[in-house]
Amino acid sequence: MITEAQQQEILSYLSVKKLPIDMLIEVYDHFISQIHDLQARHNLCFDDAFQKTKDSWCNDLTPYWNGGWELENRSDLVRNFEKTMLKSVFFESVKYAGIIVLASFVLSLLFPKEIFQYLILLLIVIMVFAPIIKIIRNWKAVNLPKKHSKFTLTLYQNYVMIHLSMAYFLFKSVSDYKVFVDAFLHVSTLEWQVFGILFIYLALATICLFTWLSLNRYLVQIKKVEAFILTHQLN
């Protein structure tokens, strides 16, 4: 049985490893489970089991500068998680963006230009403004990293505002929606300019979806983080 004081000792040890809080929660649970297992299997006292657990995680948890563009020391665990996270969100965004492009092409075949152009405008407006509306509606949660600036709450917090950083491109896409309409209507010409414009349309959808998916994942993680901070009185 691990006492509250021992749990606090584990938490204090992990707190200096510069882990985002949502990752700290996962690692903390793994530490508790691993220490329990070592105590049960090898009849170890807490201190010995805790030391063995720390040793087994040492390489993954030790922050260091890897000589790259990063300005702060980070552990391999954090770096690998961020790579996996970004790859997952990016490919999911591209997949759904591809579906949107395909659906837009199908709409161009089904409707006359007079109707199709307004469907494209509606679709672009939804893609651009839906993430912004969701950010505003969840502003209290989105703003939590500023309240707890001492910590990184979750790596997703770095990407929920990427949408706004490209505001000019996004709003320009809304005002120039007819360029996309013409591109879809002239796909059969097979001109490279047409496919270049459609690639921009794909990029627009990908950026909007990347923000949307990152925001959704952020909101899921932030609930766990907020409860953990409150329970363990992190400050």
Side-chain angles (χ1 to χ4, degrees), residues 5 8 40 67 69-70 72 93 101 112-113 117 136 148 166 174 177 212 225:
Q8 187 58 46
W69 56 270
E70 295 176 341
E72 61 179 18
S93 301
V101 172
K113 181 178 178 179
Q117 64 182 358
I136 294 171
H148 300 284
M166 300 184 180
V174 175
Y177 74 96
W212 180 265
V225 168

Side-chain angles (χ1 to χ4, degrees), residues 102-120:
L102 181 60
S104 299
F105 176 68
V106 172
L107 289 174
S108 74
L109 300 176
L110 295 177
F111 295 94
K113 181 178 178 179
E114 293 75 18
I115 297 176
F116 174 65
Q117 64 182 358
Y118 290 114
L119 292 176
I120 287 296

Side-chain angles (χ1 to χ4, degrees), residues 9-225:
E9 186 178 348
I10 296 169
L11 186 57
S12 297
Y13 169 78
L14 293 176
S15 296
V16 301
K17 297 300 181 180
K18 297 184 177 181
L19 295 170
I21 300 299
D22 60 339
M23 290 185 66
L24 185 149
I25 294 170
E26 299 295 327
V27 175
Y28 174 78
D29 288 341
H30 280 294
F31 262 63
I32 295 291
S33 177
Q34 193 167 333
I35 290 169
H36 269 304
D37 187 59
L38 287 170
Q39 287 179 314
R41 288 191 178 196
H42 303 287
N43 196 28
L44 297 177
C45 66
F46 170 79
D47 289 338
D48 290 341
F50 186 26
Q51 187 60 51
K52 281 184 175 292
T53 302
K54 287 191 290 185
D55 291 343
S56 69
W57 284 80
C58 181
N59 291 336
D60 289 328
L61 291 179
T62 302
Y64 69 95
W65 183 58
N66 67 352
W69 56 270
E70 295 176 341
L71 299 178
E72 61 179 18
N73 297 338
R74 300 202 302 171
S75 66
D76 285 337
L77 187 67
V78 174
R79 289 190 180 97
N80 292 335
F81 179 82
E82 186 165 35
K83 286 178 184 177
T84 302
M85 178 196 80
L86 287 174
K87 187 182 295 185
S88 171
V89 177
F90 175 73
F91 283 114
E92 191 172 355
S93 301
V94 171
K95 179 181 73 174
Y96 288 122
I99 293 172
I100 288 173
V101 172
L102 181 60
S104 299
F105 176 68
V106 172
L107 289 174
S108 74
L109 300 176
L110 295 177
F111 295 94
K113 181 178 178 179
E114 293 75 18
I115 297 176
F116 174 65
Q117 64 182 358
Y118 290 114
L119 292 176
I120 287 296
L121 176 59
L122 178 61
L123 190 55
I124 292 174
V125 166
I126 290 173
M127 287 193 296
V128 170
F129 288 99
I132 296 173
I133 293 171
K134 188 155 190 172
I135 287 171
I136 294 171
R137 291 182 63 184
N138 294 277
W139 182 248
K140 184 178 178 182
V142 171
N143 203 43
L144 274 177
K146 287 187 177 180
K147 181 179 178 182
H148 300 284
S149 57
K150 182 179 177 181
F151 308 105
T152 299
L153 302 185
T154 170
L155 290 175
Y156 289 108
Q157 74 188 51
N158 298 327
Y159 302 100
V160 295
M161 292 294 191
I162 196 170
H163 197 71
L164 300 181
S165 69
M166 300 184 180
Y168 176 79
F169 167 66
L170 298 175
F171 294 139
K172 193 82 168 62
S173 297
V174 175
S175 62
D176 294 344
Y177 74 96
K178 288 185 179 180
V179 174
F180 300 119
V181 172
D182 290 338
F184 277 110
L185 294 176
H186 293 89
V187 170
S188 59
T189 65
L190 300 179
E191 294 181 1
W192 69 267
Q193 294 97 329
V194 170
F195 289 102
I197 293 170
L198 293 181
F199 179 79
I200 294 173
Y201 186 76
L202 175 68
L204 167 68
T206 300
I207 292 168
C208 295
L209 286 164
F210 188 94
T211 302
W212 180 265
L213 294 171
S214 296
L215 181 57
N216 284 342
R217 296 188 185 191
Y218 169 84
L219 292 173
V220 170
Q221 293 300 95
I222 211 67
K223 288 180 182 179
K224 302 175 187 177
V225 168

